[in-house]
Amino acid sequence: MSTASALPQAALPLLLIVDDEVDITDTYSMLLELHGYRVITACHGADALDKARQHWPDLVISDCMMPVMNGLELCAALRRLPGGAQLPVILCSGAPERHDLSQSSHNLFLRKPVFFDRLLEEIGRLLPGHP
C-alpha cells in the first residue's frame, strides 16, 4: 500500500490546475491524482481565484495565456490574498514569444510542452515531504 493511499483524503496536498485547454487540465488531474494529490481545475484565472478562495490549494499550476484573467494576473491576485505570499505557483506557456515575467512573483516557469515527470519533480521540490 502506498503512503498516499494510506493517508486520509484531506491530508493529501491540494493542487489547483488552471488552463483554458480542458485536455491539459484533465490529463494533469488524472495523472496527479494517481500520484497522491487532490486536484481542482479552473479554465481561466478568474475561475481559479474563485476556487482558491473556496478551497485554498497547496500549489497552483497555471497557463500564462488564458481568457478573462491570464496566469500573470492570477499570480498577482493570489499574492494579495491572506497566505498568498507563501503559495507556490508554477506558470507554464507554450507561446513562442517570451512573457515579461520580471514583475511576476511566481516560483517557477516551465515552457510547454511540460513533460509530466518534470512537473512531478518540480511539485515535489516545491512541496517537500509530500508524495
Side-chain angles (χ1 to χ4, degrees), residues 2-107:
S2 75
T3 305
S5 61
L7 293 173
Q9 187 70 8
L12 300 175
L14 179 62
L15 308 182
L16 172 56
I17 302 171
V18 191
D19 202 301
D20 57 333
E21 293 184 41
V22 73
D23 290 346
I24 290 175
T25 57
D26 286 353
T27 300
Y28 283 171
S29 182
M30 177 189 65
L31 291 170
L32 289 165
E33 286 172 352
L34 287 172
H35 282 82
Y37 295 98
R38 293 179 299 137
V39 177
I40 54 176
T41 62
C43 59
H44 53 70
D47 183 30
L49 197 55
D50 288 342
K51 289 183 177 179
R53 286 181 177 127
Q54 294 171 28
H55 306 283
W56 191 253
D58 295 295
L59 182 139
V60 175
I61 302 164
S62 179
D63 187 24
C64 281
M65 296 180 59
M66 297 177 291
V68 184
M69 177 188 279
N70 68 39
L72 298 170
E73 294 165 332
L74 170 62
C75 187
L78 288 168
R79 295 294 188 231
R80 290 190 295 268
L81 296 176
Q86 294 79 34
L87 179 65
V89 177
I90 299 173
L91 292 179
C92 307
S93 181
E97 71 274 359
R98 290 269 187 221
H99 298 279
D100 180 10
L101 301 174
S102 61
Q103 300 302 310
S104 178
S105 58
H106 63 284
N107 298 81

